[in-house]
């Protein structure tokens, strides 16, 4: 259960309550953290949201990569699923001399 600490601070002469989230136990596994950027912490098949967290990009950017088939995926119903190997290949491509730059419009 997440518990928060509250404390009172004086700001601009007024008393203000400040809520501090509790710190997670250091023994917890990193896979429980949604913002982890280590690929080993993720399952073999990723959601677009997980890819957004890993790449630190927005929703529109990830769906542009998916719709243009730059990032290989499988669409199941209305949902995309991205193999982790596809994301790794995309990252290798980005660090090679054949990088796909989506910011340049033709």
């Amino acid at each position: 259960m997440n518990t928060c600490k509250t404390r009172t601070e004086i700001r601009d002469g007024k008393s203000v309550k400040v809520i501090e989230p509790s710190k997670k136990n250091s023994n917890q596994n990193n896979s429980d953290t949604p913002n982890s950027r280590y690929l080993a912490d993720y399952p073999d098949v990723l959601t677009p949201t997980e890819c957004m967290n890993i790449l630190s990009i927005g929703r529109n950017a990830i769906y542009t990569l998916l719709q243009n088939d730059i990032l290989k995926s499988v669409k199941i119903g209305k949902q995309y699923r991205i193999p982790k190997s596809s994301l790794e290949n995309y990252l290798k491509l980005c660090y090679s001399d054949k990088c796909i730059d989506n910011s340049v419009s033709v």
Side-chain angles (χ1 to χ4, degrees):
M1 184 171 131
N2 289 342
T3 57
C4 298
K5 289 183 182 180
T6 59
R7 60 184 166 86
T8 305
E9 288 185 1
I10 307 270
R11 295 184 182 172
D12 298 326
K14 295 181 182 178
S15 178
V16 179
K17 271 192 177 180
V18 178
I19 299 173
E20 297 177 345
S22 64
K23 295 182 180 178
K24 289 189 175 186
N25 187 352
S26 62
N27 294 335
Q28 263 186 326
N29 189 353
N30 286 340
S31 63
D32 293 339
T33 59
N35 292 327
S36 176
R37 291 180 56 171
Y38 297 104
L39 288 177
D41 295 341
Y42 288 94
D44 291 337
V45 180
L46 305 167
T47 64
T49 303
E50 291 169 330
C51 289
M52 287 168 40
N53 289 334
I54 293 166
L55 298 173
S56 295
I57 59 175
R59 185 176 185 275
N60 290 342
I62 193 70
Y63 281 101
T64 299
L65 291 172
L66 293 169
Q67 290 167 353
N68 293 332
D69 208 29
I70 296 169
L71 186 58
K72 304 297 180 195
S73 64
V74 175
K75 195 168 183 182
I76 303 172
K78 294 182 179 181
Q79 299 177 348
Y80 285 98
R81 292 297 179 255
I82 303 103
K84 191 189 302 185
S85 61
S86 175
L87 182 64
E88 290 169 341
N89 290 339
Y90 172 71
L91 290 171
K92 287 176 189 174
L93 180 68
C94 284
Y95 284 103
S96 73
D97 56 350
K98 300 175 184 175
C99 182
I100 299 169
D101 188 1
N102 295 321
S103 64
V104 179
S105 57
V106 178

